[in-house]
Amino acid sequence: MSGRRSRSKQSSVSSITDDQITDLVSKLQHLIPELRRRRFDKVSTSKVLQETCNYIRSLHREVEDLSDRLSQLLASTDSDSDQAAIIRSLLMQ
Amino acid sequence: MKRWTTKREHQIYSSKLFQALCRSRRTSSSTSAKELHQTADRVLAITAKGTTRWSRAILAAPLTAGTNMKKHKKAKVTVHTRLRKPVVNREKRKLPVVERKLRALRRLVPGCRKLSCNNLLEETSDYIAALEMQVRAMTAITEFLSRGEAQVPTDRLGSIGNM
């Protein structure tokens, strides 16, 4: 990769323009609850990326926990086709 | 980004997931949490309709890959990193923080290990929105099943068939 500046603290990622990255990073910032609350314009790129990684990991953990609970619930519920139809219709609401 | 936030998508995902879970319950006596998680991810990827890299990567991945395989890979790698260690440390000091964070992000989003920064951030936005919907849908299903039959409101049954 060309243009890697190890001296400057605000070193840009080499291959793409800074504007594109800033644009996308600000888009990411809006998606992450942690950063949305603060509404600072000056959250650093690395902070946004760090929080993004943390957020994805926490979402993964949540889905893992839900999978766990769901698998236990499914094992304990009786296989009742009527109940399944009711639940499906409720999900359509 | 309106995608993944509409009620309709939520409904489609929830009902597809529920159907998949009922089906798997009929074929095998118990579904492990890991299999369930995998099913939830695959249905999520299907709902994406092949428009994103992460969804295609999930669908392309082998089912219930054994953890043994991962151990083999690790064993091979340790031999090499011992030889390369001094070089790697120097490299780390040179790499800007942003690059390191991007690398971590690449590992988290499926199928994006060699993606450019630009595309990676696009995929990440979509992946996060999809995961949030996955959590909402699975929470809803869990709540339905926890409540059980007794509390199902019967007056809503009249609106079956709107889909």
Side-chain angles (χ1 to χ4, degrees):
Chain A
M1 281 194 185
S2 59
R4 196 181 293 165
R5 295 172 200 168
S6 50
R7 287 179 194 170
S8 113
K9 279 186 182 174
Q10 290 175 350
S11 48
S12 48
V13 181
S14 42
S15 40
I16 312 116
T17 65
D18 282 350
D19 282 341
Q20 279 180 303
I21 299 206
T22 321
D23 218 31
L24 287 167
V25 167
S26 67
K27 195 166 140 199
L28 264 182
Q29 192 176 333
H30 288 297
L31 282 176
I32 299 163
E34 270 297 308
L35 301 175
R36 228 181 351 217
R37 274 181 241 145
R38 293 184 197 170
R39 293 177 193 269
F40 289 154
D41 286 337
K42 294 190 180 180
V43 182
S44 70
T45 303
S46 81
K47 176 84 175 160
V48 174
L49 290 175
Q50 181 64 57
E51 290 300 324
T52 307
C53 291
N54 292 343
Y55 188 47
I56 292 181
R57 279 191 212 112
S58 77
L59 285 172
H60 281 166
R61 274 197 305 267
E62 250 190 287
V63 176
E64 254 182 68
D65 286 343
L66 283 167
S67 304
D68 208 34
R69 283 171 64 192
L70 258 182
S71 66
Q72 286 172 17
L73 274 174
L74 284 175
S76 59
T77 342
D78 291 333
S79 54
D80 186 3
S81 57
D82 289 341
Q83 189 186 33
I86 291 170
I87 291 176
R88 205 171 303 141
S89 72
L90 282 171
L91 290 172
M92 302 296 195
Q93 296 290 327
Chain B
M1 187 165 287
K2 293 294 174 185
R3 208 182 171 196
W4 302 113
T5 54
T6 64
K7 197 176 178 189
R8 180 173 170 78
E9 280 165 319
H10 185 274
Q11 287 171 357
I12 291 174
Y13 178 66
S14 309
S15 65
K16 275 195 178 161
L17 175 59
F18 189 71
Q19 283 170 34
L21 293 177
C22 288
R23 233 180 292 138
S24 72
R25 208 155 55 92
R26 267 178 252 141
T27 53
S28 67
S29 53
S30 65
T31 320
S32 73
K34 191 181 175 188
E35 287 168 356
L36 204 148
H37 192 164
Q38 213 171 60
T39 306
D41 281 345
R42 290 180 77 87
V43 177
L44 189 67
I46 290 168
T47 313
K49 294 187 190 165
T51 54
T52 52
R53 192 172 275 259
W54 64 261
S55 60
R56 292 193 293 268
I58 288 177
L59 292 174
L63 282 167
T64 55
T67 46
N68 290 331
M69 287 182 69
K70 282 185 182 173
K71 280 179 187 169
H72 284 306
K73 278 186 182 174
K74 271 187 181 171
K76 280 185 188 173
V77 170
T78 42
V79 177
H80 291 293
T81 52
R82 246 180 248 153
L83 296 169
R84 286 184 189 171
K85 243 184 184 176
V87 181
V88 171
N89 279 337
R90 267 183 244 138
E91 293 278 329
K92 269 191 178 169
R93 269 183 244 140
K94 276 187 183 174
L95 271 179
V97 178
V98 171
E99 290 272 9
R100 272 189 274 138
K101 304 294 177 195
L102 279 173
R103 192 196 284 170
L105 190 58
R106 280 198 184 90
R107 274 189 242 130
L108 284 172
V109 184
C112 293
R113 280 181 195 243
K114 301 205 175 170
L115 221 52
S116 72
C117 171
N118 219 331
N119 294 331
L120 174 65
L121 294 179
E122 292 269 13
E123 288 278 331
T124 305
S125 299
D126 193 71
Y127 187 51
I128 288 179
L131 283 177
E132 288 173 336
M133 191 201 73
Q134 186 180 40
V135 169
R136 284 195 301 270
M138 289 179 75
T139 307
I141 294 178
T142 310
E143 282 173 5
F144 281 135
L145 288 176
S146 314
R147 267 189 252 147
E149 220 171 13
Q151 296 192 25
V152 168
T154 48
D155 58 345
R156 284 196 183 177
L157 289 175
S159 47
I160 299 175
N162 275 345
M163 298 271 300

